[in-house]
Amino acid sequence: MAEKKDYKVVGTRPIRHDGVDKVTGRALYGADFQTVGLLHGKVLRSPHAHARIKSIDTSRAEAHPGVRAVVTAKDFPAVEDKIADLGEGAANVKDLQDNVLAGDKALYKGHQVAAVAAIDPHTAEEALELIDVEYEVLPPVIKVLDAMKEDAPLLHEDMHTDEMGEKSEKPSNIAAHFQHKQGDPEKGYAEADVVVEQEYTTETVHQGYIEPHNATALYNPDGQLTIWCSTQGAFAVRGQVSEILQIPVSKVKVVPMEIGGGFGGKINVYIKPIAAMLSMKTGKPVKVLMSRADVFEGTGPTPGSYVRVKMGATNDGRITAAEAYLAFEAGAYPGSPVGAAAFCVFSPYKVENGTVDGYDVVVNKPKTAAYRAPGATNAAFAAETVIDEICEKIGMDPLEFRILNSATEGDIRIDGPPAPRVGFIETVEAAKDHPHYSAPLEGENVGRGVASGYWPNFGMKSSVSINVTGDGTISLVEGSTDIGGTRASIAMQAAEVLGIPAESVTPTVADTDSVGYTDVTGGSRTAFATGYAAYEAAQDVKQQMIERAAKLWEVDPEEVQFADGVFSSVNGKEQEIDFKGLAERLDETGGPVVGRGTADPNQPGPSIGLHVVDVEVDPDTGKIDILRYTATQDAGKAVHPSYVEGQIQGGAVQGIGWALNEEYIYNEKGEMTNASFLDYRIPTCLDLPMIDAVIVEVPNPGHPFGVRGVGETPIIAPPAAIANAVYRATGVRLKELPMSPGRVLKAMGKI
Amino acid sequence: MPKKVHVQTTINGEAVEYLCEPRQSLLEVLRDVLHLTGAKEGCNNGNCGACSVILDGRLVNSCLVLGAELEGKSLETIEGLAEPEQLHPIQDAFLENAALQCGICTPGFIMAAKALLDQNPNPTEHEIRYWLAGNLCRCTGYDKIVRAVQDAAQTTS
């Protein structure tokens, strides 16, 4: 499977199937959903970062004209303190509930405390001010290293550290510590000619999707709950809501509307169970929409972190040992992406001697959620700048160093398993050969930097069904919500199998009652795994169509072959019919043809990229300008190259925002002080040049067309690449993200 | 509930009248009263541009205009751009260039691009980037959006 080859549909650039709806404003996103008798919900949030909730009095709000219901954590059904498998990582059900509506304690500013349903949004908002909550304010702890101190304020008085399988005696904010080890690091450092060790910090950043969270719920007297919402996974919403409200999954139907960005942040539920609870109390459909401030303060960002990396190398450029200490903020409940960070930190390289320590630490911030290659960017910022420092010390070109130290298939990784095949050397070579890398740098205060990024990608479960239409087209029903053009990339894989144009496929994203179980649009898995399920469904259709042709010609199915979209008999009668012709004659041969495919592929195939960036640093203001940017990436096989380029460009720009100015800014009370798009500034188009995306294709042996997921990898390299470029421009190494003007000037000794 | 205001206005070339509360923004009126949901709410305070519309020839964030202010004015929204059989050239250019991913910011970008090309049919790349800086896109990195506007400028000029 998956040799490098040319295809008829895969690798072309058709107009996406949902395109017209999306450029005309007709596509319906979650907030656009309307129905009769709708009530509107609003959520009261904790104004304190850490506080005991002594009492909540909702009576004045309930008496406000136009208010129909008020809910608090008291309205939750009792749940066991148990870990639920939600198909997308496990989670403690009590934590899930507690994060949706705070019980005994509010654990971050923005934590949901109560909610109101009223006849319109303004009335609901007025009622929030009439809910009386008595808080006992507690000291907050915001930074990971502070939270790890012995005398730090405790978020959860009953939480003990899982210390490599053993529970600590004393309660702690450290939820877990784990370690991976390979070889003999001390021996490795002894063999090194140069050893570099540095400390790095990163701040909390948000996915920054433009569409706020939304949910409309309707609970019927027969116990059936329906939720219309924007989500990365309708089945993930179903699973979480079912656990939180203790309703059987069969009684929860989730209808995924169009989704306005997610990047990992629209997997966890916040207001969906609240809309459901308000509908249960009122018997009416209830719509709840978040504001932008709600999104920043109340939904999962990606963690701030402290990372220490040490690496040794010989003068001829061979890595002899490496170690990483990763301490990640989980937010208010355990579960940071430190595990993924530990996996990724040295993944591109062959490291025979090394240790990686990971710490998962709770702090008074929103519970972190996934964000595009979660954990990997924090880790790569450290490892990829340490490598740059080593290259400088031994006088080696940083691309040559990467080629020399690239892990090859079968090398044992620090965490144990062998490295799979990925096109690391190929992406480095592509960067080396690109005119950008050899272009002269002109002017003062300019510098060029490089860095790589690695992400393992995920497989997980997907289902697809295909109905053959009498006019020779197919309708394809899938369960992966389409965040970035995956209707097209999934449809194209089915079209390739059936020898029909991409335009002959009508893809539909279905609700949880209308398609088989499908995991989230996340983990860079959708074009890969749901595409795989579409391939399987198309194979099923192909086989059934072969049987129909055989029936038509009164021959054995074994005597019918299918190639280039044409069925033909090999019995000497030389009959042939194309897919369309046969589709027109289904009624003569037994009626409808419905194909089905499921996938749970175990070889997602990692993706890797190498980024090159030129920067100019203003020595007076400390502002960094991106002058030129080139990103290479192994896509395995790019199904729709335009949308693969789009993933690379968009991911790179999110990484640039993370590098240059994005951060949650906290005051001493633990309050986020910049919860708006004005003050939490994501890149605008004026901040950027064109982003040159270079697709490298080393086929993934785990997919019939060689596809690798591409979505997450491109965010990983930018902060390190930019830091390395800034060093070339200024002679100063920045070890804190973001590299905002103030931090740059401080590092340059100017303030 | 506050007494509603009666408004007579023109939207996408057609006479429209509606009642709205004095506190309702134009964005709320478009979405909740008139069910024109092509303008999106991303921030509700003028930072993201997802609700961009053209009011008397001028690009505005509809979340920063009150619904009551529309009296006697003329409004263009994304819903009025395409002909029954033909997309607007900017819409075509966005599709041809794959200039959208999730699509939530797309109506706002298309309206902003239209306002630009209406007054400057041949903008430079810098002029496009300067003009579109009030519209946030988190998916694309803007590369393909800028190229789409460049393409549309070539087609329309």
Side-chain angles (χ1 to χ4, degrees):
Chain A
M1 262 206 268
E3 281 170 25
K4 196 162 183 161
K5 59 183 268 198
D6 288 329
Y7 301 97
K8 288 216 155 118
V9 180
V10 167
T12 63
R13 300 176 188 242
I15 300 293
R16 60 192 283 171
H17 300 79
D18 53 340
V20 172
D21 281 347
K22 285 183 175 161
V23 298
T24 54
R26 289 171 192 156
L28 293 176
Y29 293 74
D32 304 334
F33 180 77
Q34 294 285 351
T35 187
V36 286
L38 194 60
L39 298 176
H40 297 267
K42 289 277 177 188
V43 176
L44 183 70
R45 294 168 184 278
S46 168
H48 306 296
H50 194 189
R52 207 171 297 286
I53 297 173
K54 300 180 80 171
S55 66
I56 304 177
D57 182 351
T58 59
S59 53
R60 289 199 304 143
E62 279 158 13
H64 189 62
V67 169
R68 295 289 179 267
V70 182
V71 291
T72 67
K74 286 204 168 67
D75 295 292
F76 279 134
V79 293
E80 293 168 57
D81 197 357
K82 67 157 191 179
I83 303 296
D85 178 10
L86 298 167
E88 166 59 11
N92 183 302
V93 178
K94 259 196 170 355
D95 288 353
L96 285 178
Q97 265 194 352
D98 206 52
N99 194 34
V100 167
L101 282 168
D104 301 337
K105 277 171 101 180
L107 293 170
Y108 51 94
K109 181 180 181 246
H111 198 160
Q112 300 179 149
V113 170
V116 173
I119 51 170
D120 63 59
H122 293 289
T123 305
E125 216 160 52
E126 288 164 4
L128 293 185
E129 292 174 26
L130 303 173
I131 298 174
D132 300 302
V133 187
E134 196 187 341
Y135 293 102
E136 177 195 341
V137 179
L138 303 170
V141 61
I142 294 299
K143 296 263 190 187
V144 62
L145 292 184
D146 294 335
M148 292 171 82
K149 288 178 183 157
E150 287 244 336
D151 59 349
L154 288 175
L155 273 78
H156 306 279
E157 286 85 358
D158 56 351
M159 193 172 85
H160 297 256
T161 308
D162 182 340
E163 173 66 37
M164 299 199 262
E166 305 269 311
K167 283 279 175 197
S168 69
E169 247 176 57
K170 280 177 64 180
S172 165
N173 290 323
I174 304 172
H177 167 226
F178 63 84
Q179 185 181 69
H180 305 307
K181 190 166 184 189
Q182 262 324 313
D184 182 350
E186 287 316 311
K187 180 174 147 278
Y189 290 124
E191 289 169 9
D193 297 308
V194 51
V195 176
V196 172
E197 181 172 15
Q198 297 288 6
E199 297 174 287
Y200 300 84
T201 59
T202 73
E203 300 300 324
T204 301
V205 298
H206 199 273
Q207 300 85 357
Y209 35 81
I210 304 299
E211 177 205 40
H213 290 250
N214 53 72
T216 306
L218 175 59
Y219 186 77
N220 273 349
D222 62 358
Q224 179 66 45
L225 174 66
T226 305
I227 301 175
W228 296 263
C229 60
S230 304
T231 174
Q232 289 179 242
F235 288 89
V237 172
R238 186 182 75 168
Q240 291 174 79
V241 169
S242 155
E243 288 289 351
I244 289 167
L245 300 181
Q246 296 290 295
I247 307 171
V249 283
S250 56
K251 290 287 186 187
V252 184
K253 172 171 151 181
V254 178
V255 185
M257 307 294 289
E258 295 302 331
I259 170 173
F263 314 106
K266 287 189 186 150
I267 297 171
N268 297 347
V269 298
Y270 304 95
I271 52 176
K272 293 169 182 105
I274 287 178
M277 291 162 85
L278 290 169
S279 182
M280 285 174 175
K281 274 205 168 176
T282 59
K284 297 274 171 52
V286 180
K287 186 186 215 176
V288 185
L289 305 177
M290 281 197 190
S291 71
R292 176 54 51 185
D294 293 344
V295 172
F296 276 119
E297 296 185 327
T299 70
T302 206
S305 59
Y306 166 85
V307 181
R308 192 171 66 235
V309 163
K310 182 177 176 184
M311 189 177 275
T314 56
N315 277 331
D316 59 1
R318 194 173 54 84
I319 298 173
T320 57
E323 61 191 73
Y325 175 102
L326 305 151
F328 273 48
E329 293 165 2
Y333 305 91
S336 75
V338 68
F343 182 91
C344 290
V345 60
F346 300 126
S347 277
Y349 308 103
K350 182 182 171 107
V351 180
E352 288 177 331
N353 306 300
T355 52
V356 177
D357 282 279
Y359 293 85
D360 186 37
V361 183
V362 295
V363 294
N364 291 113
K365 294 182 180 178
K367 165 72 178 72
T368 54
Y371 179 26
R372 207 166 199 157
T377 306
N378 312 48
F381 174 54
E384 294 288 311
T385 51
V386 162
I387 284 176
D388 202 63
E389 219 172 307
I390 288 177
C391 290
E392 183 207 353
K393 284 194 161 51
I394 63 174
M396 186 176 244
D397 177 90
L399 296 189
E400 294 300 339
F401 183 90
R402 284 171 172 83
I403 291 170
L404 187 65
N405 288 286
S406 168
T408 49
E409 191 173 354
D411 283 347
I412 298 302
R413 301 164 40 84
I414 294 178
D415 57 333
R421 171 82 170 103
V422 63
F424 186 30
I425 290 175
E426 289 83 349
T427 55
V428 177
E429 299 275 8
K432 215 169 102 181
D433 296 342
H434 193 281
H436 182 173
Y437 197 63
S438 48
L441 267 171
E442 282 158 14
E444 286 179 39
N445 307 308
V446 295
R448 177 170 297 152
V450 303
S452 37
Y454 177 103
W455 184 248
N457 289 339
F458 289 83
M460 307 198 286
K461 296 174 281 295
S462 287
S463 307
V464 165
S465 61
I466 292 176
N467 304 292
V468 179
T469 311
D471 63 359
T473 65
I474 59 171
S475 76
L476 183 153
V477 181
E478 43 133 332
S480 289
T481 49
D482 182 352
I483 314 188
T486 50
R487 278 186 185 87
S489 58
I490 291 161
M492 288 167 74
Q493 295 180 57
E496 184 71 43
V497 172
L498 297 175
I500 56 177
E503 293 76 12
S504 292
V505 185
T506 306
T508 299
V509 178
D511 65 67
T512 52
D513 285 352
S514 308
V515 65
Y517 183 88
T518 299
D519 277 311
V520 295
T521 296
S524 302
R525 63 175 291 278
T526 306
F528 166 75
T530 307
Y532 205 139
Y535 169 89
E536 294 290 357
Q539 291 290 351
D540 186 18
V541 167
K542 185 175 98 182
Q543 193 50 44
Q544 293 182 53
M545 295 293 271
I546 283 173
E547 284 160 22
R548 297 306 178 89
K551 211 166 179 180
L552 202 62
W553 297 328
E554 295 175 342
V555 299
D556 282 341
E558 290 73 36
E559 293 176 52
V560 178
Q561 60 183 21
F562 179 72
D564 294 330
V566 176
F567 300 88
S568 56
S569 66
V570 290
N571 61 351
K573 293 182 188 163
E574 292 177 19
Q575 299 176 98
E576 59 175 52
I577 190 167
D578 65 7
F579 187 85
K580 182 168 185 289
L582 188 54
E584 284 167 356
R585 300 183 67 179
L586 290 187
D587 284 351
E588 299 167 42
T589 53
V593 166
V594 179
R596 59 184 185 178
T598 60
D600 188 7
N602 58 7
Q603 252 187 295
S607 183
I608 198 161
L610 191 291
H611 292 204
V612 184
V613 59
D614 295 353
V615 303
E616 179 175 357
V617 183
D618 185 322
D620 296 323
T621 64
K623 181 170 182 285
I624 299 168
D625 279 325
I626 307 294
L627 302 178
R628 187 170 182 181
Y629 205 100
T630 303
T632 70
Q633 191 173 324
D634 180 7
K637 176 69 198 172
V639 178
H640 191 310
S642 296
Y643 286 97
V644 171
E645 290 161 4
Q647 289 296 323
I648 297 172
Q649 292 162 336
V653 167
Q654 281 189 318
I656 290 169
W658 194 339
L660 296 186
N661 42 245
E662 290 182 34
E663 65 178 311
Y664 276 41
I665 298 170
Y666 283 89
N667 64 18
E668 71 287 349
K669 291 186 201 158
E671 298 163 345
M672 181 190 187
T673 59
N674 60 331
S676 77
F677 271 143
L678 185 65
D679 298 315
Y680 182 99
R681 196 177 177 289
I682 69 173
T684 74
C685 60
L686 193 57
D687 301 319
L688 298 159
M690 294 295 187
I691 307 293
D692 199 349
V694 180
I695 298 171
V696 173
E697 294 185 327
V698 176
N700 170 18
H703 186 279
F705 302 123
V707 173
R708 296 174 190 272
V710 293
E712 289 166 291
T713 296
I715 199 175
I716 304 169
I722 292 169
N724 294 337
V726 168
Y727 173 72
R728 299 294 192 287
T730 62
V732 173
R733 290 218 176 259
L734 289 164
K735 303 188 187 85
E736 293 173 16
L737 290 185
M739 295 175 270
S740 48
R743 284 197 180 88
V744 173
L745 287 181
K746 211 169 149 194
M748 291 172 79
K750 300 213 169 181
I751 54 171
Chain B
M1 192 185 289
K3 196 175 159 193
K4 288 187 175 176
V5 183
H6 177 227
V7 176
Q8 284 188 309
T9 188
T10 305
I11 298 179
N12 298 325
E14 289 184 21
V16 173
E17 59 185 316
Y18 56 80
L19 295 173
C20 71
E21 288 181 42
R23 63 184 172 183
Q24 281 184 301
S25 69
L26 173 56
L27 178 60
E28 286 180 271
V29 169
L30 288 175
R31 294 179 54 82
D32 299 338
V33 179
L34 303 174
H35 299 299
L36 293 170
T37 55
K40 306 298 181 189
E41 180 185 319
C43 68
N44 209 27
N45 56 13
N47 292 327
C48 80
C51 66
S52 298
V53 293
I54 299 174
L55 182 58
D56 280 350
R58 194 172 150 214
L59 181 68
V60 297
N61 289 309
S62 59
C63 70
L64 298 184
V65 176
L66 289 170
E69 289 181 80
L70 225 58
E71 177 68 33
K73 292 196 161 52
S74 175
L75 185 74
E76 292 170 67
T77 73
I78 187 70
E79 286 87 353
L81 218 53
E83 300 293 330
E85 298 280 324
Q86 180 69 53
L87 293 177
H88 187 279
I90 300 172
Q91 293 171 319
D92 270 329
F94 268 66
L95 292 182
E96 292 287 343
N97 284 276
L100 61 149
Q101 285 177 30
C102 81
I104 196 84
C105 70
T106 307
F109 265 99
I110 289 174
M111 294 312 289
K114 179 171 189 295
L116 168 65
L117 298 183
D118 282 350
Q119 60 170 254
N120 179 359
N122 285 300
T124 62
E125 183 189 332
H126 182 77
E127 284 169 340
I128 293 171
R129 288 185 181 276
Y130 187 83
W131 185 272
L132 296 181
N135 292 74
L136 298 178
C137 170
R138 191 59 158 172
C139 295
T140 64
Y142 304 103
D143 182 300
K144 292 183 190 300
I145 292 176
V146 173
R147 288 179 201 276
V149 177
Q150 287 173 327
D151 269 12
Q154 292 233 316
T155 315
T156 50
S157 64

